[in-house]
Amino acid sequence: PKEPSGSLSADSIKIKKEVASAFVKRKKRSSPYEWYFEYYKSPMEQMHERCENYPPCDSLSDQVGFALAYNHFFG
């Protein structure tokens, strides 16, 4: 069904699983190590996200680097 604006609605766009899988390939995990690190972030990655989510730290990290900015605000 068409909407008043002339575009198709999301409900009208349907494709079969077989067709969709031709477009989207899921990455296979080759080891439990890769599976683990896909779900659990390293402490350094957590620190980067903490700094990125705090605008003053993110701004300062662009100027002086991540380590100095993180230590200034959280260290």
Side-chain angles (χ1 to χ4, degrees), residues 2-70:
K2 290 205 173 213
E3 293 181 359
S5 62
S7 65
L8 295 173
S9 68
D11 294 333
S12 67
I13 301 172
K14 304 267 188 210
I15 58 175
K16 294 180 181 179
K17 282 187 196 180
E18 297 80 21
V19 176
S21 67
F23 295 105
V24 180
K25 296 287 182 190
R26 204 176 105 183
K27 182 182 170 190
K28 305 259 190 244
R29 293 180 198 90
S30 61
S31 71
Y33 179 82
E34 288 180 16
W35 179 86
Y36 176 84
F37 282 104
E38 184 176 328
Y39 290 101
Y40 300 100
K41 296 176 184 172
S42 69
M44 183 60 80
E45 189 173 354
Q46 291 174 357
M47 290 166 57
H48 272 278
E49 288 183 357
R50 185 175 182 194
C51 188
E52 287 173 355
N53 290 334
Y54 185 58
C57 183
D58 190 32
S59 173
L60 186 61
S61 71
D62 291 338
Q63 299 167 12
V64 299
F66 164 74
L68 291 174
Y70 186 87

